[in-house]
Amino acid sequence: MLRSPLLPLLSTIALILLWAVLAYSLQSRYLPTPFDVASAFETEFTSGALFFHLGATCLRVLGAFCLALLFGTALGLALGRSPKANLVFDPWLIFALNLPALVVIVFCYLWLGLTETAAIIAVALNKIPNTAVTMREGARALDPSLDEVAAIYGYKGWNKFIHFTLPQLEPFLAAAIRNGLALIWKIVLVVELIGRNNGVGFQINFFFAQFDLARIMVYTLSFMVIVGLIEAFIIKPWETRARFWRGDA
Amino acid sequence: MKFTFASKSFGTQTILAPLTLTLEKGTVTALMGPSGSGKTTLLKMIAGLDQDDAQTLKKPLKIGMMFQEPRLLPWKTVRENIEVAGPVDSLLKALDLDDASAFYPRQLSLGMAKRVAFARAIASEPELLLLDEPFTSLDDARVDLMRTMISETKNRLNIPVLITTHDRADTEALQADIYALEGRPAKIRKLIDA
């Protein structure tokens, strides 16, 4: 009987084997072999280009992620706690949710120029509505009976937020962070492709023009590994700790 | 300690008539009355958690309050839940909770959870202790333990204690003055002086 932690590893190995079999049997320029990709990885790694472009993308992801989380959480909590504010601003939120990411990016570049600020704001603006919707649900799920406990023992403001509100919001925050990370890094690639001269998106566009699929895969897979590591070593442990008291960790 | 309130309504229905309640330091006062007579509402008004129809919002004192449900914070352990209000000190041992100090509320029986809620209510060393049906879901031994703790706290801190209960045995054991909420809207009436 296979132990369950081994299954994801075996599944990944099976996927790589399937890719290798397909690539070697097709011998097509449209599907590089694992060896081609490994060789391209070595070149990009030793030249330092891989780190430079991954670093640029990571910084943009981090900036946009922090902005989106901060403003999305604040907006979501305000809407979730105030039915009147929700009534007024819900149509705005629906409009923002349905606004194509590309349109937001183009407008930001047109208004703010082809700058780093414009790139980060464009990504954050795309993510803020999603975060706000998730956190609005979190705010609606807050237990009002615990507000009374907080009032009795004199918990107000930041102290109340840390001891009473935040633990109740953690599952929603975890969902917002996980979905945010998945969405933001994809939008960052588009932003880089359109208006930056470095980063993974820029490199993918560059190698697309050269029809170099191996290098496109190097940059894509490298960034996916980084996102996977963040998920495995930061988000998952935090979520496990946050859920421990529920008994479902 | 004198509390005066105007009437209290929910929507078009008036639950409580205007009332005055005086609580003496170092005494237990029991509030009795049928379910829905407004006992909990009155406790909340005294605690400053609710307002009467004249929008009187009172919170004059440091209050310790035990709600009908334990209302523990599920993400904190027993010890941490008590520490929300004040130092734990000897409370865990006194309430027979020292073996459960690292437990989370989901791991507690209702009776244990109520004892933790009681410990939290007295941990703050309040100037007024409000206990809303503190003895429900407790076995006889624990009821005795809680009654002893209430009396001990009342004497040690020299504070008034106001409890709601349906059981005359509680009021006798605590040597409590008894008030009743009767009628609709409920009027308060003193039944027995301890």
Side-chain angles (χ1 to χ4, degrees):
Chain A
M1 187 81 180
L2 289 168
R3 285 190 300 127
S4 58
L6 275 178
L7 283 175
L9 181 66
L10 290 176
S11 164
T12 308
I13 292 169
L15 184 66
I16 294 169
L17 283 175
L18 182 68
W19 165 28
V21 169
L22 274 175
Y24 281 111
S25 47
L26 290 174
Q27 289 291 322
S28 163
R29 61 185 299 209
Y30 294 108
L31 185 62
T33 65
F35 179 78
D36 295 335
V37 174
S39 164
F41 176 83
E42 190 190 358
T43 314
E44 293 299 303
F45 183 86
T46 47
S47 72
L50 185 65
F51 283 117
F52 172 72
H53 292 288
L54 278 179
T57 300
C58 282
L59 284 177
R60 284 177 194 126
V61 167
L62 184 69
F65 178 76
C66 291
L67 277 180
L69 203 66
L70 190 70
F71 287 100
T73 301
L75 182 63
L77 291 181
L79 298 183
R81 295 292 265 185
S82 164
K84 200 173 278 182
N86 187 55
L87 207 62
V88 173
F89 293 109
D90 191 50
W92 294 30
L93 196 59
I94 293 170
F95 173 76
L97 277 169
N98 289 303
L99 207 57
L102 194 57
V103 173
V104 177
I105 295 165
V106 167
F107 270 85
C108 279
Y109 276 145
L110 286 174
W111 287 337
L112 302 171
L114 290 173
T115 62
E116 201 62 47
T117 310
I120 291 173
I121 288 177
V123 180
L125 284 177
N126 272 300
K127 179 56 195 162
I128 284 171
N130 299 69
T131 306
V133 167
T134 308
M135 296 313 291
R136 180 173 63 180
E137 289 313 306
R140 285 173 177 165
L142 290 174
D143 183 352
S145 75
L146 295 181
D147 285 344
E148 293 188 337
V149 176
I152 286 288
Y153 297 108
Y155 283 80
K156 289 177 192 162
W158 181 247
N159 223 6
K160 182 184 171 190
F161 181 76
I162 291 295
H163 288 280
F164 287 79
T165 311
L166 189 60
Q168 294 182 73
L169 290 176
E170 271 180 333
F172 296 90
L173 208 52
I177 288 172
R178 173 168 291 128
N179 297 339
L181 199 63
L183 185 70
I184 279 175
W185 87 264
K186 287 167 193 162
I187 301 173
V188 164
L189 297 198
V190 179
V191 165
E192 291 174 343
L193 189 143
I194 295 175
R196 304 307 304 145
N197 56 7
N198 54 33
V200 174
F202 170 80
Q203 287 293 83
I204 288 173
N205 192 32
F206 178 74
F207 290 121
F208 168 67
Q210 296 181 20
F211 222 81
D212 191 342
L213 268 70
R215 279 181 169 72
I216 289 175
M217 288 183 77
V218 166
Y219 279 94
T220 310
L221 291 174
S222 300
F223 206 76
M224 284 170 71
V225 167
I226 289 176
V227 173
L229 290 175
I230 293 171
E231 163 77 22
F233 292 101
I234 299 176
I235 298 177
K236 197 94 180 167
W238 171 63
E239 203 179 14
T240 305
R241 190 194 58 79
R243 282 179 159 191
F244 179 71
W245 54 270
R246 292 168 181 263
D248 57 359
Chain B
M1 240 175 247
K2 191 173 177 182
F3 297 93
T4 302
F5 293 105
S7 59
K8 171 67 184 173
S9 307
F10 289 108
T12 55
Q13 199 174 18
T14 304
I15 304 293
L16 290 172
L19 62 87
T20 297
L21 178 66
T22 305
L23 305 174
E24 301 292 339
K25 284 187 174 180
T27 65
V28 177
T29 303
L31 201 55
M32 301 188 82
S35 297
S37 58
K39 300 187 295 294
T40 299
T41 303
L42 179 55
L43 249 62
K44 282 189 176 183
M45 284 175 6
I46 291 171
L49 298 175
D50 207 346
Q51 296 176 323
D52 61 15
D53 293 341
Q55 311 288 303
T56 312
L57 185 62
K58 290 190 184 296
K59 196 179 177 191
L61 307 158
K62 194 173 169 189
I63 284 172
M65 184 165 182
M66 181 180 172
F67 298 88
Q68 260 180 47
E69 336 74 69
R71 296 198 190 179
L72 302 180
L73 308 185
W75 52 88
K76 289 186 184 281
T77 62
V78 164
R79 170 177 285 277
E80 291 164 345
N81 260 287
I82 300 168
E83 282 172 343
V84 160
V88 178
D89 290 337
S90 56
L91 285 172
L92 287 171
K93 193 170 174 59
L95 283 159
D96 204 11
L97 288 165
D98 38 3
D99 289 341
S101 68
F103 285 10
Y104 284 88
R106 68 180 165 83
Q107 298 168 304
L108 305 176
S109 68
L110 183 55
M112 286 170 93
K114 290 205 81 157
R115 276 183 281 146
V116 178
F118 176 70
R120 183 176 64 187
I122 61 176
S124 61
E125 304 230 321
E127 294 168 291
L128 169 62
L129 184 58
L130 304 172
L131 307 172
D132 198 357
E133 300 194 13
F135 305 114
T136 50
S137 312
L138 296 178
D139 59 50
D140 290 347
R142 307 291 191 224
V143 168
D144 286 342
L145 178 68
M146 287 268 283
R147 285 172 180 165
T148 308
M149 286 292 291
I150 291 170
S151 296
E152 189 274 324
T153 306
K154 169 202 72 176
N155 294 332
R156 181 170 54 87
L157 301 175
N158 190 31
I159 56 169
V161 178
L162 178 61
I163 73 164
T164 66
T165 180
H166 294 280
D167 192 344
R168 278 292 177 95
D170 295 334
T171 63
E172 283 162 19
L174 292 166
Q175 296 178 304
D177 295 337
I178 305 176
Y179 284 84
L181 282 175
E182 296 167 333
R184 179 70 70 185
K187 293 188 173 106
I188 198 159
R189 184 164 70 89
K190 192 166 195 177
L191 291 183
I192 295 174
D193 240 332

